[in-house]
Amino acid sequence: MRAFTYERLDAATGASRRADHPGTTYIAGGTDLLQLMQEGIAHPRALLDVSRVGTTGVTAQLDGIRIGAATRLADVIEDPIVAERLPLVAEALAASASPQVRNMATIGGNLLQKTRCLYFRDVTTPCNKREPGSGCPAQAGQNRLNAVFGGSPHCIATHASDLAVALVALDAEVIVERAGGEKSIRLDDFYRLPGDTPYVETALEPGDLITAVFVPIQATNLPGRYLKVRDRASFEWALVSAAVALVVADGEVVAARVAAGGVGTKPWRLPAVEDRLVGRPMDVQTLQLAAEAAADGADPRPGNAFKVPLLVNAVARALAATADQEANR
Amino acid sequence: MNAPTPAIGQPVSRVDGPAKVTGTARYAGEFAPDGLAYAAVVTSTIPKGRIRRIDTTAAETIPGVLAVVSHLNAPSLPYHEMEKRPQVDPKSGDQLQVFQGPDILFNGQPVAAVVAQTQEIADAAASCIGIAYEEAEARTVFDPGRGREPSEETAKGGRPGASGRGDADGALAGAAVTVDAAYVQAREHHNAIEPHVTIASWEGDRLTLYDKTQWVQNVVDEIAHVFGMDKEKIRVISPFVGGAFGSALRTWPHVTIAAIAARMAGRPVRVELSRRQLYNAVGYRPHTEQRVRLGADRDGKLTAIVQEAAAQVATYEEYAETTLQPAETTYSCPNVRTAYRLVEMDVNSPCPMRGPGIVTGLYALEAAMDELAFELGMDPVELRLRNHADTNEKTGQPWSSKELRTCYETGAERFGWANRIPEPRSMRVGTELVGYGMATAIYHADRGAAEMQATVFANGTAVIRSAASDMGPGTYTSITQIAADALGLPVDAVRFELGDSDLPTAPVHGGSITLASVGTAASAACEALRDKLDRLPAKGGSIAETLRANSLDRLDAKGKAAPGEETKTHASSAFGAVFVEVRVDEGLGAVRVKRMVGAYDVGRVVNPKIARSQCIGGMMGGIGMALMEQAEWDERFGKVMNANLAEYLVPVCADTPDLDVVFVPGEDTIFNPLGAKGLAEIAICGVAPAITSAVFHATGRRIRHIPIMAERVIG
């Protein structure tokens, strides 16, 4: 770890001007950033602590639900508004990390956590995301954790957040404090595909500070399930996950929101699955046919080919579980 | 004297527990000699070649950097050959020498160290060191076809290329029922929570090492040979060890690095390895591939066992395992043949990891036994009973004790084995398939020579002292109980001091031998003390009264114990039977252990609470081995890529729901006077094959590659 300065900010206002310097990085829970610094992956010269800038708590608004970016994961899980109106988010967070990590990590930081790609995390190996132009050993290496969607010859690193998968399914927006004023970005647009610039991961500009996540009203109060598949029963990132929320009226699927984690270079929305649901009767056959489209367009490597059937099965299970939930409402 | 209730057999809580949970127990890395400086180790990033150039300029200019050490400026060390190598070192080849030349033998080899006033400065400076290499072609692929026989020294050390009895191939050819299957076991890492750490402190030509080790006195020996020093001038202190599982048996290169760095910096130096460095700075359980062929008659009586194993090994040193011993000792069978091969790779040397060799060989043997039971249409327990080895057929000796039949019976009953429907895929709960599996556990019981000093004081307390270790099994407690009983004192009046090389001799804290070795010496010392007390002229009621009656503040005695004739007349072993229920969700590729019962014959149990703790730890290790622990190896870099606790998975509490441990009655007083056999390795033995057999029972599919992760279930 290199020497750095640390300063705690009191307000989000003006933060972006403070942070708009090369080598300056925000820190909140620090559960990922400190590891990146210890491993020599990140070398910030200045840390601006934004964990106490007043952007905490969950607020129900007329047009949706706003979750302050500095809210700890554990507090969001326990928040009554989230429990009642965003069960998919609560379930995704409860499946994340460990209680200790959830007590520290924040919503904004969770969305910005770095990939778990083994080559990104080991500074002795090439990685285009870490060292532009150095290469991508994951393409033909240990890639069981890597992506089957959204990859490029330059990068197949998965996005690691569970929360982001649920939020992408819910068409959530990221609220950003920017020098020119506040800006709202759809989370699905917020994340960038690696292309030939895998080191550009989000739409954030230098100095930008995430202050909140906003879930629009039409995505609240929906039955939904977050299913996470992993090698051990707890405290592990997803091999594959599926986030599902459905609107059903008179036995017909009126709206469907389906996204997957552990499979994409960003949280992966599955429109092909949604298309096979909307307007169809809510029955076993519909759900199964829809799930079978989950892996359409997948581009697996030998090490992660198992994610293709796994994804189909996980989506099928999450759909079935959501249907059960709906039936029992 | 009125003897209190015997402590042996009581579930006494750990005597070192309060110190550990309140943070007052001082581990090796927590000592703070005056002027302590901190080192960061720089490691190679190529698997084979030479260092062409080391640029230390940037590092040296950082304020607070005290020294940069590499082969360019390190002292030339003699690395004398030891007259007799300790059993923890390979019998052939040479240990890795640090900073003695430019050659790179594996990726992650220590090539330099930075010493600084703080760890942070050392780490920062280490990252500024530039090294240019001349790369050579490396052997980083495990190719069993390149396997070679172990050397003569290794063979003499009990790891021969070939062993057996009768005509196994002939018997196999004529067998009514056969099994022929190949098994792969991944490279595994110990991953104790406490990292390896050494603090070296020189005073003139005397060296003190505070070291995480399972054998303080061997560290003295090894370092004395490395530096060409007089053993009397080295002292090693290690009162607590935060888990090791075999990784701290040997004296690894970082211990030498600490001593070199301290000498060059002119002040005490602390070297702590990072989690990532632990994947090649200390050893690991080697990747091993096996083929097992079994022949049996229609009644299930084994007629032939052929077991072959190939394990990875470093180029510079020949670490070999007793992988094929279970093939010769576990069952009664007239015809056995084993073949052991080593596959040289440009890797760091493997080393013992809990149940070394045995757990690997037993995995394949027991998995094959389950396949045989299925071929025969016979209950797996019944097959084991029909092939029960009444004697050790490898040596021809009778067992000093063996309650394995009771283990099968007790374990099966507690587990509810009778409820198993033999047909695979026949048991189900919701979307999950249910599988029952079982396996035999066996691990040879050994002892080593040990000495103990016992002292009683006029205030009624006692201290016992030995250079033993306690890496977590509860040695502090169990041996305190033994001494308390031998002296007729309550447990809290006795204190056990260990982990200091200046104390009386103790053997290695490994191979499950500590209790039987050091515990027996404790008995002997305390009995010698009682004799001395009895011979004092004035008599008193208690020990304290006797001492006071004789105007004595204290009285000392020494005792020792060593294996004797029984090793010639008898074979000794711990035994067990492991029963497992798994739940398999095929669609999601998930295997979870639902519950496990282990019934163990470990002789007399000194402390059932701590013994149970040992066993559930072993069971968890077995769950890891079967279902999640594996080094993800990149052949291009010759490197473990998941070298951290986030991606190298060990079981968490949620993976280990219901672990039931039972000790069957028995005392082995032929093996040693205490009647206790070892209890550590046995607890991981048999767990992996019980799980893989349960997976077969659940799914009808044989997955012969551990760990069984999602891709192997779904694929």
Side-chain angles (χ1 to χ4, degrees):
Chain A
M1 203 190 293
R2 311 267 173 96
F4 58 89
T5 62
Y6 169 86
E7 186 187 347
R8 194 151 75 204
L9 299 185
D10 298 321
T13 315
S16 54
R17 255 183 300 276
R18 296 287 318 282
D20 185 10
H21 297 286
T24 298
T25 303
Y26 293 119
I27 184 168
T31 55
D32 190 29
L33 182 60
L34 291 179
Q35 284 186 50
L36 295 168
M37 291 166 67
Q38 285 166 345
E39 293 261 26
I41 299 164
H43 305 281
R45 284 199 288 272
L47 294 184
L48 296 178
D49 185 340
V50 289
S51 61
R52 300 189 190 180
V53 296
T55 57
T56 56
V58 179
T59 323
Q61 301 174 181
L62 284 177
D63 54 348
I65 295 170
R66 184 183 171 104
I67 304 173
T71 319
R72 311 279 173 180
L73 304 191
D75 294 335
V76 177
I77 295 169
E78 284 166 17
D79 186 276
I81 298 169
V82 172
E84 191 191 327
R85 301 185 58 191
L86 296 173
L88 185 61
V89 170
E91 196 173 14
L93 287 172
S96 301
S98 69
Q100 294 90 333
V101 174
R102 295 195 295 266
N103 285 338
M104 288 297 293
T106 64
I107 293 296
N110 180 282
L111 297 179
L112 293 178
Q113 67 182 289
K114 296 291 183 181
T115 181
R116 301 305 308 180
C117 176
L118 302 178
Y119 300 92
F120 175 79
R121 294 271 162 179
D122 184 334
V123 294
T124 72
T125 59
C127 170
N128 288 326
K129 193 185 274 295
R130 183 166 35 73
E131 263 180 73
S134 61
C136 177
Q139 306 277 347
Q142 289 290 352
N143 52 27
R144 71 185 297 272
L145 300 176
N146 290 72
V148 297
F149 291 121
S152 76
H154 305 281
C155 183
I156 51 169
T158 44
H159 194 269
S161 166
D162 291 302
L163 171 67
V165 178
L167 290 177
V168 160
L170 298 177
D171 284 321
E173 294 162 19
V174 179
I175 313 299
V176 172
E177 172 81 17
R178 183 171 286 180
E182 197 175 83
K183 192 171 164 55
S184 172
I185 308 168
R186 278 184 71 236
L187 189 58
D188 202 20
D189 301 329
F190 177 79
Y191 292 116
R192 296 288 166 87
L193 293 176
D196 55 8
T197 55
Y199 44 90
V200 179
E201 298 185 329
T202 68
L204 289 176
E205 291 177 6
D208 280 3
L209 174 66
I210 300 177
T211 54
V213 165
F214 178 75
V215 181
I217 192 80
Q218 62 272 22
T220 64
N221 295 41
L222 300 181
R225 293 303 302 268
Y226 188 78
L227 180 84
K228 183 172 179 180
V229 182
R230 44 188 161 180
D231 295 298
R232 68 179 169 194
S234 179
F235 203 8
E236 191 193 357
W237 282 271
L239 273 180
V240 164
S241 68
V244 168
L246 298 174
V247 180
V248 180
D250 299 330
E252 187 184 295
V253 182
V254 178
R257 302 166 172 282
V258 184
V263 291
T265 52
K266 62 182 220 173
W268 207 253
R269 193 80 185 248
L270 296 171
V273 177
E274 295 171 356
D275 288 349
R276 289 195 189 188
L277 289 164
V278 177
R280 307 271 168 88
M282 173 82 153
D283 57 25
V284 173
Q285 195 188 2
T286 297
L287 299 182
Q288 187 55 39
L289 277 175
E292 281 166 14
D296 284 4
D299 178 20
R301 269 74 183 166
N304 64 12
F306 72 99
K307 285 187 174 179
V308 170
L310 190 52
L311 174 62
V312 170
N313 295 340
V315 169
R317 293 286 181 87
L319 286 171
T322 307
D324 281 352
Q325 202 176 14
E326 167 64 22
N328 295 329
R329 281 235 283 189
Chain B
M1 294 179 210
N2 294 322
T5 311
I8 292 179
Q10 296 303 311
V12 176
S13 292
R14 286 173 191 266
V15 297
D16 51 336
K20 283 182 171 170
V21 299
T22 58
T24 56
R26 193 183 269 192
Y27 290 78
E30 298 176 319
F31 285 82
D34 283 347
L36 182 63
Y38 300 81
V41 178
V42 180
T43 57
S44 69
T45 54
I46 62 161
K48 191 170 174 63
R50 288 169 65 83
I51 300 170
R52 274 200 293 119
R53 198 176 61 249
I54 299 187
D55 183 359
T56 59
T57 323
E60 280 162 351
T61 56
I62 294 175
V65 170
L66 302 169
V68 180
V69 188
S70 71
H71 73 281
L72 300 175
N73 61 350
S76 174
L77 299 176
Y79 277 95
H80 290 313
E81 178 65 30
M82 300 174 85
E83 268 174 47
K84 183 173 182 297
R85 289 194 182 184
Q87 71 263 44
V88 296
D89 284 3
K91 301 291 165 277
S92 177
D94 292 307
Q95 66 174 289
L96 184 78
Q97 302 192 351
V98 285
F99 306 160
Q100 299 297 296
D103 292 341
I104 300 300
L105 304 180
F106 59 89
N107 196 333
Q109 177 181 327
V111 291
V114 179
V115 186
Q117 280 165 354
T118 67
Q119 189 67 57
E120 289 74 17
I121 296 171
D123 290 343
S127 70
C128 297
I129 288 181
I131 301 176
Y133 297 98
E134 186 180 304
E135 278 198 63
E137 197 176 329
R139 283 177 296 178
T140 54
V141 178
F142 182 88
D143 173 8
R146 281 199 294 106
R148 61 162 175 81
E149 290 231 10
S151 66
E152 200 176 310
E153 296 91 332
T154 298
K156 277 188 203 151
R159 286 108 171 123
S163 185
R165 55 183 176 262
D167 174 14
D169 296 284
L172 196 63
V177 183
T178 59
V179 163
D180 182 349
Y183 302 92
V184 178
Q185 174 230 284
R187 167 170 167 168
E188 276 193 292
H189 290 263
H190 306 74
N191 273 318
I193 289 302
E194 181 198 25
H196 282 255
V197 59
T198 306
I199 294 171
S201 177
W202 293 89
E203 284 165 51
D205 62 351
R206 303 190 74 86
L207 174 64
T208 303
L209 295 164
Y210 305 91
D211 186 33
K212 173 187 173 128
T213 175
Q214 294 169 245
W215 199 5
V216 284
Q217 288 171 332
N218 188 56
V219 177
V220 172
D221 274 10
E222 298 257 9
I223 294 300
H225 283 82
V226 169
F227 284 81
M229 286 172 68
D230 186 349
K231 278 198 257 186
E232 310 304 317
K233 292 188 171 159
I234 303 172
R235 183 176 178 195
V236 177
I237 293 172
S238 182
F240 295 98
V241 176
F245 313 109
S247 71
L249 291 167
R250 298 194 63 188
T251 305
W252 296 107
H254 66 272
V255 183
T256 300
I257 293 174
I260 294 175
R263 186 187 269 179
M264 291 182 67
R267 52 198 273 189
V269 169
R270 180 182 190 275
V271 174
E272 179 181 317
L273 300 171
S274 70
R275 180 61 58 184
R276 205 173 270 285
Q277 286 175 337
L278 289 170
Y279 284 76
N280 35 37
V282 300
Y284 51 91
R285 193 192 300 288
H287 176 98
T288 303
E289 301 192 359
Q290 300 182 70
R291 182 182 180 194
V292 182
R293 280 168 285 175
L294 301 177
D297 65 23
R298 297 255 170 230
D299 294 330
K301 183 74 194 74
L302 284 166
T303 56
I305 300 173
V306 177
Q307 187 167 352
E308 299 161 311
Q312 68 182 152
V313 70
T315 54
Y316 54 93
E317 192 172 48
E318 191 174 279
Y319 172 74
E321 301 201 307
T322 52
T323 310
L324 297 172
Q325 190 176 299
E328 297 188 78
T329 57
T330 309
Y331 297 110
S332 174
C333 179
N335 305 296
V336 179
R337 181 173 69 76
T338 73
Y340 187 60
R341 296 291 179 273
L342 295 167
V343 180
E344 280 186 24
M345 295 172 67
D346 294 306
V347 293
N348 61 306
S349 188
C351 81
M353 179 167 162
R354 197 168 190 174
I358 304 296
V359 74
T360 297
L362 203 53
Y363 155 59
L365 178 67
E366 287 297 281
M369 284 293 280
D370 193 72
E371 303 206 25
L372 180 62
F374 182 74
E375 289 300 319
L376 289 161
M378 184 178 287
D379 184 278
V381 176
E382 178 60 25
L383 178 66
R384 268 84 173 181
L385 288 169
R386 288 190 186 189
N387 291 287
H388 184 270
D390 296 335
T391 61
N392 181 329
E393 294 186 7
K394 177 179 169 62
T395 64
Q397 294 164 317
W399 301 105
S400 55
S401 74
K402 183 170 186 177
E403 302 296 337
L404 179 57
R405 288 179 192 279
T406 318
C407 293
Y408 291 132
E409 195 180 308
T410 307
E413 191 184 317
R414 282 176 85 106
F415 181 81
W417 183 253
N419 299 326
R420 177 180 185 263
I421 303 167
E423 184 66 25
R425 300 188 73 86
S426 59
M427 297 170 71
R428 195 179 278 271
V429 173
T431 57
E432 292 180 331
L433 294 160
V434 177
Y436 287 5
M438 61 81 56
T440 304
I442 181 170
Y443 197 89
H444 49 91
D446 292 312
R447 291 170 66 192
E451 296 175 15
M452 182 72 81
Q453 183 193 44
T455 306
V456 287
F457 298 93
N459 66 2
T461 65
V463 174
I464 55 171
R465 294 185 178 90
S466 160
S469 295
D470 182 353
M471 64 171 150
T475 304
Y476 269 113
T477 309
S478 55
I479 292 179
T480 299
Q481 288 174 259
I482 290 167
D485 280 5
L487 293 171
L489 291 172
V491 167
D492 59 10
V494 181
R495 193 173 80 247
F496 184 11
E497 292 179 1
L498 54 73
D500 181 338
S501 60
D502 283 355
L503 296 172
T505 307
V508 60
H509 182 48
S512 309
I513 72 169
T514 299
L515 184 70
S517 309
V518 180
T520 309
S523 294
C526 294
E527 278 156 26
L529 196 53
R530 293 291 294 259
D531 285 347
K532 269 193 176 177
L533 284 164
D534 288 345
R535 289 200 301 273
L536 290 175
K539 304 296 173 200
S542 65
I543 289 177
E545 287 160 9
T546 305
L547 290 177
R548 288 199 294 267
N550 291 280
S551 302
L552 290 170
D553 291 334
R554 58 184 284 168
L555 194 63
D556 299 273
K558 275 196 169 177
K560 56 182 170 183
E565 282 300 303
E566 78 282 355
T567 60
K568 294 182 186 124
T569 57
H570 289 80
S572 297
S573 183
F575 299 96
V578 185
F579 295 83
V580 172
E581 176 184 334
V582 298
R583 299 289 174 86
V584 181
D585 190 325
E586 282 187 307
L588 301 183
V591 179
R592 304 278 189 255
V593 171
K594 178 74 176 164
R595 61 197 179 96
M596 191 182 311
V597 175
Y600 300 102
D601 162 21
V602 293
R604 189 181 195 187
V605 174
V606 171
N607 185 323
K609 185 176 183 178
I610 291 174
R612 176 182 177 275
S613 182
Q614 264 287 62
C615 287
I616 62 174
M619 289 170 160
M620 292 171 76
I623 291 171
M625 183 179 183
L627 299 180
M628 61 193 81
E629 290 192 48
Q630 66 172 352
E632 290 183 31
W633 182 250
D634 190 304
E635 293 170 348
R636 297 163 299 176
F637 304 114
K639 186 154 205 221
V640 177
M641 292 311 306
N642 58 336
N644 66 68
L645 285 174
E647 272 80 30
Y648 181 100
L649 303 175
V650 296
V652 294
C653 293
D655 293 296
T656 57
D658 180 3
L659 305 175
D660 180 25
V661 175
V662 58
F663 300 106
V664 305
E667 289 189 7
D668 191 338
T669 49
I670 296 174
F671 175 59
N672 78 349
L674 277 174
K677 302 194 269 196
L679 168 52
E681 326 296 327
I682 189 70
I684 194 173
C685 290
V687 176
I691 292 172
T692 61
S693 298
V695 170
F696 170 74
H697 180 235
T699 64
R701 284 176 50 221
R702 289 286 177 195
I703 302 173
R704 301 185 181 94
H705 189 147
I706 53 173
I708 298 179
M709 298 179 86
E711 52 267 54
R712 298 192 179 111
V713 178
I714 208 163

